[in-house]
Amino acid sequence: MTAHERTARTAAADELCREAYAASAGPATGVALVAVGGYGRGELAPHSDLDVVLVHEDAVDLGELGSSLWYPLWDSGRRLDHSVRSMGEVVDAAADLRVALGLLDVRHLAGDPGLTLRLRTTMLADWRRQARTRLPELKAMTRKRHDVTGELAHASVPDVKEAEGGLRDAGVLKAIEASWLVDASTPALEAARLMLLDVRDEVQQIAGRPSDRIAPEMWGPLAERLDLPDAEAAQRHVRSLGRRIAHLSRLAWRRTDAVTTLARGEKGRRTPALERIAPGIALSRGEVVLDAGTKPAEDPTLLLRAAAEAASRDAVLAPTTAARLVREGAPLPVPWPAAARDALVRLLASGPGLLPVWETLDEIDGIETFLPEWEQIRLLPHASAIHRFTVDRHVVETCAEAGALIRTVRRPDLLLVAALLHDIGKGSLHDHSVAGEPVARKIVARMGFTDLDAEVVASLVRWHLLLADLATTRDPDDPATTTELLSHVPDAASLDLLRALTEADARATSAQAWTTWRASLVDRLVLRADTALGAEASPVPPVETIPVPDVVRRDPDAVSVTVEPHGIGATVTVVAADRVGLLADVAGGLAALRVPVHAARAWAQVDAEGEWGVSSWEVPDAYLDATKVRDRIRRVVEGSQQLPDLPERPEGELPPIVEVRPDASRASLVLEIRTSDRPGVVHRVLTTLARLGLTVASAHVSTLGPQAVDVFYVQEDGGVRPTEERAAAAAHAVRTALGG
């Protein structure tokens, strides 16, 4: 069924109504026959009702007009939903939100056109006047409908009218547009709506009745009627339309919420205020946009960085901004720069903000700019009915679930990338785990990870089903089961990653895929594998020896600071005479300047003239002034520098994990800390240790996406390894200091 055929069908129904009105000898003024609802928008389906209202002026006596009008329409065999209302009754009936929505699309059929125009004008004016109170009611009603019908893009038996992303939502978007509060109707929406109307026409023709639901057996016939290759192509087509309308609907509601809650002083602004939140990126009325003067062609990382900022703030990535970045942005070099890699990890770990931003990227073909392999799984239906979503949406949900588990692993970046790629092999003719392994290895290498990291992720993709399969189909207590698991999982770190990926994948599949029973079986097997692996020592990353400046050798209180800019920020190197609390003072100086620390290393150098504390800090500010850093460190040492408080841990955020690794070093106490990357974390930890009289012999600080993973080799003053009691006290103090 085409738009032309639908228009012809509507025109025929209109003519039938006009003939019936003429036959009933209705008056020329004061009475009008109007179409409302879907019929009013020309959406008449093969089995739809004619939804009409006979409207009259309050003073007009219709007599037998109504009865004489309906009989010819009944005799025609058409389904009819009709009513007779005075102008005042219509206005009163519009207090019901459903009635009001139908009346926004009033269309004249017969009788007095002036009355129809007045009715339409009155309804639109009332809607716009009451929009700030009626739209929240409409949003609640829409959400309730979605809860019942699910998403058109993912439901096993989708409803093309009532489901989220269906024709009803397209109508709601037109109602939002009619409020004049936000721009909600776009060419993309209208194109999707018209194509979905074609789908509904064919569904009703196949069913032979007024049905809007697509049963599994209907996909094949629907593909033939839509001239598509096969049932899978039909599913992808229909689900893509649903996802587009759902995405536009979510975006419109976000913007509507922003407008209805806008501060009084902001309402009158001609130009929205820009708040710079990152290099080249700004925030305007809850949407991430480009900062003034930003040139996308000069920064290949800009699209990923903008997406990460939007998702981590649960803000809208402005579609026009994203489209411009795709259109004008420079391609990412191979391998990726660290800034792009970090932005992708932050995006994947952003929790509830991930899905809407990812959908925006998908709608403007932005994902293909950094992950061209995505097209193979885009809107791919799952073969198993247990899955709630299509393959691509399942992958995004897996990333969201993995984001809640990053505290349980030492490499959260690898967990999140593995979650993104674990089903990348689907859509091929082979086992998706086998097919996905080489694809994942190639992608991770392209992203700029090390060869070892690429092997870890590829192995996770290859064996992401292994742990659940062994735990549920074999005896977890049988040593042979443990042996089978460890033949593919070489170490404790990889085992932790596999455990977290297994849970995230199952939770994203369905509630039935991760029950308490299944979790207990998995955990039993993991515990036995951990025991078999034994305690794993954390190797000390190698450090370099650098020249000690003469000024530091001459003056025991001197501090040397150098700043070396590079592509994504700068390296700050600090050298001074070693002492308890030196590293805390340096971290305090950077915190005073509100400089984020992306990575850091610290170590002691000993030569014939003394012991020197050396630290190297990776920061995003390429224009940092070494003199200012040195001055802030001096003020911290003197006690004259006021330091910013560590931000409180937001409600619902995962608590910090502070672990003592007793077997990792014979000479030092090794503390491993995993916590959210908040300003001042390093300073708070180091200050806490200094107050306990502990010195840091070596520190290895890194930010992996949203999580800081910090390892400190701690000793008593004089180089003695702390006792177990002191180790426990230090861990407790650090945990408390971080809000754990």
Side-chain angles (χ1 to χ4, degrees):
M1 197 69 64
T2 65
H4 176 74
E5 291 172 311
R6 191 163 47 251
T7 301
R9 187 167 60 236
T10 301
D14 288 357
E15 183 61 29
L16 179 64
C17 291
R18 283 191 286 268
E19 292 174 355
Y21 187 85
S24 66
T29 60
V31 181
L33 182 64
V34 298
V36 297
Y39 177 33
R41 290 192 296 271
E43 296 178 356
L44 201 61
H47 298 273
S48 295
D49 293 347
L50 297 181
D51 197 355
V52 296
V53 180
L54 185 64
V55 185
H56 61 90
E57 297 279 14
D58 292 352
V60 173
D61 182 9
L62 294 181
E64 299 298 321
L65 175 60
S67 298
S68 60
L69 173 61
W70 308 136
Y71 277 111
L73 296 177
W74 286 327
D75 291 342
S76 71
R78 290 305 305 250
R79 295 163 57 93
L80 181 66
D81 187 355
H82 64 282
S83 60
V84 179
R85 296 282 188 274
S86 69
M87 184 71 171
E89 288 172 336
V90 172
V91 173
D92 290 342
D96 185 317
L97 185 57
R98 292 176 177 81
V99 175
L101 292 175
L103 291 171
L104 291 177
D105 289 301
V106 166
R107 187 164 55 84
H108 182 71
L109 295 176
D112 185 353
L115 181 60
T116 302
L117 178 61
R118 185 153 62 89
L119 174 61
R120 180 175 176 81
T121 302
T122 300
M123 291 298 100
L124 286 172
D126 285 352
W127 179 252
R128 288 162 187 156
R129 186 176 62 254
Q130 303 172 37
R132 290 180 181 273
T133 56
R134 303 220 74 175
L135 285 177
E137 181 186 356
L138 176 58
K139 182 179 180 181
M141 185 175 76
T142 301
R143 281 184 171 175
K144 185 175 181 179
R145 171 168 52 82
H146 292 167
D147 290 342
V148 173
T149 57
E151 290 187 56
L152 174 56
H154 304 289
S156 57
V157 182
D159 187 316
V160 296
K161 183 177 182 181
E162 301 293 343
E164 183 175 6
L167 291 168
R168 186 77 74 186
D169 277 358
V172 168
L173 285 171
K174 288 180 174 290
I176 295 175
E177 179 83 8
S179 72
W180 288 1
L181 290 180
V182 296
D183 293 329
S185 186
T186 67
L189 170 66
E190 185 59 16
R193 188 182 75 89
L194 292 174
M195 285 188 282
L196 203 54
L197 284 171
D198 293 341
V199 170
R200 186 184 66 166
D201 287 348
E202 302 301 347
V203 168
Q204 293 195 359
Q205 293 285 26
I206 293 170
R209 55 188 175 84
S211 172
D212 299 315
R213 296 170 68 85
I214 307 178
E217 64 274 10
M218 297 175 70
W219 289 113
L222 185 60
E224 294 180 12
R225 300 182 74 97
L226 295 175
D227 197 24
L228 294 170
D230 51 33
E232 182 181 305
Q235 283 208 53
R236 289 195 186 220
H237 173 68
V238 174
R239 296 184 189 283
S240 68
L241 297 176
R243 188 160 70 180
R244 179 165 297 123
I245 293 174
H247 170 66
L248 292 172
S249 178
R250 291 167 187 152
L251 178 62
W253 281 119
R254 290 286 293 265
R255 288 175 167 171
T256 301
D257 291 343
V259 170
T260 54
T261 59
L262 204 59
R264 185 179 300 276
E266 187 76 6
K267 292 177 184 176
R269 292 183 63 96
R270 287 181 172 270
T271 304
L274 287 178
E275 176 192 351
R276 187 172 184 269
I277 56 176
I281 303 170
L283 193 65
S284 174
R285 291 184 177 177
E287 299 195 13
V288 169
V289 297
L290 295 183
D291 200 4
T294 301
K295 298 179 180 179
E298 296 179 356
D299 185 355
T301 71
L302 201 51
L303 176 64
L304 277 171
R305 291 197 298 108
E309 289 293 340
S312 60
R313 297 168 183 269
D314 198 14
V316 171
L317 176 60
T320 52
T321 296
R324 181 187 172 195
L325 287 171
V326 171
R327 186 175 61 251
E328 302 177 14
L332 280 165
V334 178
W336 289 9
R341 201 161 53 247
D342 178 67
L344 176 66
V345 172
R346 287 195 297 122
L347 171 63
L348 298 178
S350 55
L354 172 61
L355 178 60
V357 171
W358 195 268
E359 287 184 337
T360 296
L361 292 174
D362 204 4
E363 284 297 315
I364 50 96
D365 297 326
I367 298 175
E368 285 76 8
T369 64
F370 60 87
L371 188 61
E373 296 83 356
W374 185 256
E375 185 60 30
Q376 179 167 310
I377 63 171
R378 187 175 185 271
L379 287 166
L380 180 67
H382 263 111
S384 170
I386 194 174
H387 280 272
R388 295 177 292 168
F389 304 111
T390 53
V391 175
D392 55 344
R393 173 67 178 276
H394 166 75
V395 165
V396 178
E397 294 288 339
T398 302
C399 292
E401 295 289 350
L405 300 172
I406 58 176
R407 290 288 190 283
T408 66
V409 299
R410 301 174 199 173
R411 290 295 302 273
D413 53 341
L414 299 188
L415 170 63
L416 292 163
V417 173
L420 175 66
L421 302 178
H422 78 283
D423 276 349
I424 201 68
K426 288 198 170 178
S428 68
L429 298 177
H430 306 287
D431 182 317
H432 76 279
S433 299
V434 176
E437 180 183 10
V439 178
R441 182 182 293 107
K442 180 183 70 173
I443 293 171
V444 175
R446 186 173 72 224
M447 290 176 176
F449 286 93
T450 66
D451 291 344
L452 179 59
D453 289 345
E455 286 302 319
V456 170
V457 174
S459 178
L460 288 170
V461 171
R462 172 65 182 89
W463 302 110
H464 72 273
L465 300 176
L466 176 66
L467 184 55
D469 286 346
L470 289 177
T472 56
T473 63
R474 302 267 291 275
D475 181 1
D477 297 324
D478 188 335
T481 306
T482 303
T483 301
E484 173 69 13
L485 175 61
L486 293 182
S487 67
H488 304 296
V489 182
D491 51 54
S494 297
L495 182 62
D496 288 343
L497 286 168
L498 183 59
R499 165 63 177 79
L501 179 59
T502 299
E503 179 175 347
D505 186 18
R507 288 186 181 277
T509 299
S510 68
Q512 295 77 23
W514 189 254
T515 61
T516 302
W517 173 75
R518 291 175 70 90
S520 67
L521 293 178
V522 167
D523 286 338
R524 281 172 62 189
L525 180 54
V526 168
L527 179 60
R528 290 195 170 276
D530 263 329
T531 303
L533 285 169
E536 180 187 6
S538 300
V540 180
V543 295
E544 58 187 304
T545 300
I546 67 170
V548 178
D550 290 340
V551 64
V552 174
R553 292 184 181 277
R554 291 194 304 267
D555 183 356
D557 296 325
V559 176
S560 168
V561 179
T562 58
V563 177
E564 298 179 23
H566 51 69
I568 58 171
T571 302
V572 180
T573 303
V574 181
V575 183
D578 199 15
R579 58 178 172 79
V580 175
L582 170 63
L583 203 55
D585 293 338
V586 176
L590 293 172
L593 291 170
R594 299 188 182 277
V595 176
V597 176
H598 286 177
R601 293 178 301 144
W603 65 97
Q605 287 185 191
V606 181
D607 59 29
E609 297 184 38
E611 296 184 8
W612 318 104
V614 183
S615 56
S616 176
W617 309 75
E618 293 295 328
V619 300
D621 187 355
Y623 303 100
L624 190 61
D625 188 331
T627 303
K628 288 185 177 180
V629 176
R630 185 166 52 250
D631 179 64
R632 289 299 191 280
I633 295 173
R634 178 184 58 80
R635 293 185 187 183
V636 172
V637 173
E638 294 173 349
S640 61
Q641 177 65 55
Q642 183 175 0
L643 297 174
D645 293 331
L646 182 69
E648 292 294 327
R649 180 163 57 90
E651 185 177 353
E653 184 179 276
L654 297 171
I657 291 179
V658 181
E659 295 181 332
V660 177
R661 301 203 170 275
D663 299 321
S665 171
R666 294 181 179 180
S668 302
L669 157 68
V670 177
L671 281 182
E672 182 176 300
I673 301 166
R674 282 168 269 167
T675 186
S676 298
D677 180 31
R678 292 177 285 163
V681 165
V682 176
H683 174 252
R684 179 65 64 90
V685 172
L686 293 169
T687 300
T688 301
L689 295 174
R691 286 173 179 168
L692 292 173
L694 296 171
T695 183
V696 176
S698 177
H700 309 275
V701 175
S702 59
T703 301
L704 301 172
Q707 176 169 288
V709 181
D710 305 336
V711 178
F712 299 96
Y713 286 72
V714 180
Q715 297 176 342
E716 300 283 4
D717 190 16
V720 179
R721 189 180 192 274
T723 64
E724 290 185 8
E725 291 77 10
R726 287 276 280 169
H732 176 73
V734 170
R735 193 178 298 110
T736 301
L738 294 177

